[in-house]
């Protein structure tokens, strides 16, 4: 089983709609959780950290469920510019201080 | 946020030659930097951890003699792909984090290497 798993998608989303997807992790000792966004042929960029209490940044909401070992990302009022691959990234656990990346979830927002 | 600058952004080289990729932390001191490789439609895979003033730590399956890492200063880490082969063609990305490595990572712009 992979340490970090994501649905690869693509999630085809009408502009203005809401989309949500999860990322599961296998190591309960994982400590820090992040969502990164990666555009085609570009480097990943931090979208938001994920806190135990859940957090929101504009149209983006992230949740952490430690009991079930997953994090989620919800995007409201999707924009065309939200089209990207969203990477679930975890620090801690088996990899120690290193980051472990999920395979990414591709989101395509269409007019 | 912290800035990491990676150079070159793309390079094409002939089989058998070596290519050096530089990664600089512009506004913080990076005792540790990480080098990743990403093949098309796949996620980032950690290749090695670059430690300032000491030897790099390589992940399992990564040949240390082929991927030479030098981290001679707190702001510069280099990755040299030696005797490059077409199968080394990939997207190479470096990253640096906070001083204790307990913050989010900041990535360089990546280097797209094509070996012909």
């Amino acid at each position: 089983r992979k340490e970090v798993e994501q649905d690869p998608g693509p999630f085809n989303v009408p502009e203005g709609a809401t989309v949500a997807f999860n990322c599961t992790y296998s190591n309960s000792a994982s400590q820090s959780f992040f969502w990164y966004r990666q555009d085609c042929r570009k480097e990943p960029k931090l979208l938001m950290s994920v806190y135990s209490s859940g957090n929101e940044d504009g149209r983006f909401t992230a949740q952490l469920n430690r009991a079930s070992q997953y994090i989620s990302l919800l995007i409201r009022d999707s924009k065309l510019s939200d089209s990207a691959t969203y990477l679930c990234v975890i620090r801690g656990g088996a990899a120690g201080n290193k980051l472990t990346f999920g395979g990414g979830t591709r989101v395509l927002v269409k007019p | 946020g912290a800035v990491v600058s990676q150079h070159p952004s793309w390079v094409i080289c002939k089989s058998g030659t070596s290519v050096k990729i530089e990664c600089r932390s512009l506004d913080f001191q990076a005792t540790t930097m990480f080098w990743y490789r990403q093949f098309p439609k796949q996620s980032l895979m950690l290749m090695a951890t670059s430690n300032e003033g000491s030897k790099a730590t390589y992940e399992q399956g990564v040949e240390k003699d082929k991927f030479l890492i030098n981290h001679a200063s707190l702001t510069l880490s280099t990755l040299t792909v030696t005797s490059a082969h077409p199968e080394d063609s990939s997207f190479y990305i470096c990253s640096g984090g906070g001083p204790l490595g307990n913050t989010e990572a900041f990535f360089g712009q990546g280097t797209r290497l094509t070996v012909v």
Side-chain angles (χ1 to χ4, degrees):
Chain A
R1 181 186 174 188
K2 291 182 181 178
E3 192 165 348
V4 181
E5 291 202 68
Q6 294 183 251
D7 182 337
F11 284 64
N12 294 300
V13 184
E15 191 176 10
T18 296
V19 60
F21 41 88
N22 293 340
C23 163
T24 59
Y25 60 95
S26 61
N27 196 310
S28 59
S30 300
Q31 298 170 342
S32 305
F33 306 87
F34 310 95
W35 283 106
Y36 278 76
R37 170 193 170 128
Q38 186 175 28
D39 293 293
C40 188
R41 295 176 175 262
K42 299 284 189 181
E43 77 278 18
K45 293 184 178 178
L46 179 67
L47 180 64
M48 58 198 303
S49 301
V50 186
Y51 303 121
S52 297
S53 55
N55 48 301
E56 187 176 308
D57 183 1
R59 299 181 292 108
F60 298 85
T61 301
Q63 297 275 357
L64 166 63
N65 186 317
R66 284 194 182 271
S68 300
Q69 294 183 199
Y70 73 87
I71 65 172
S72 65
L73 181 66
L74 182 146
I75 307 173
R76 286 186 301 277
D77 187 23
S78 298
K79 310 291 184 190
L80 297 177
S81 57
D82 294 334
S83 297
T85 297
Y86 292 85
L87 302 175
C88 169
V89 183
I90 290 170
R91 188 194 298 276
N97 205 33
K98 302 171 190 175
L99 296 178
T100 304
F101 289 78
T105 295
R106 192 168 172 218
V107 172
L108 296 174
V109 182
K110 299 186 176 180
Chain B
V3 178
V4 175
S5 177
Q6 185 172 342
H7 177 82
S9 57
W10 62 270
V11 59
I12 301 173
C13 71
K14 290 184 178 180
S15 224
T17 60
S18 295
V19 174
K20 179 186 281 189
I21 302 169
E22 293 187 348
C23 182
R24 294 181 184 273
S25 56
L26 298 184
D27 57 358
F28 68 100
Q29 294 183 329
T31 54
T32 302
M33 299 190 87
F34 301 92
W35 287 95
Y36 299 86
R37 180 167 52 183
Q38 185 178 34
F39 291 107
K41 297 189 177 181
Q42 294 186 25
S43 191
L44 279 74
M45 295 299 296
L46 180 65
M47 298 175 65
T49 303
S50 171
N51 303 299
E52 188 268 335
S54 65
K55 291 182 180 180
T57 306
Y58 290 82
E59 296 300 301
Q60 190 174 11
V62 178
E63 299 175 58
K64 62 180 181 180
D65 294 329
K66 180 170 182 61
F67 299 99
L68 301 179
I69 290 174
N70 185 284
H71 195 152
S73 77
L74 286 171
T75 58
L76 175 64
S77 175
T78 62
L79 168 69
T80 302
V81 182
T82 63
S83 187
H85 289 280
E87 56 264 33
D88 297 325
S89 299
S90 186
F91 192 48
Y92 292 86
I93 313 178
C94 65
S95 78
L100 298 179
N102 59 351
T103 61
E104 64 273 18
F106 296 94
F107 289 88
Q109 298 89 334
T111 298
R112 187 158 301 281
L113 171 64
T114 302
V115 185
V116 298

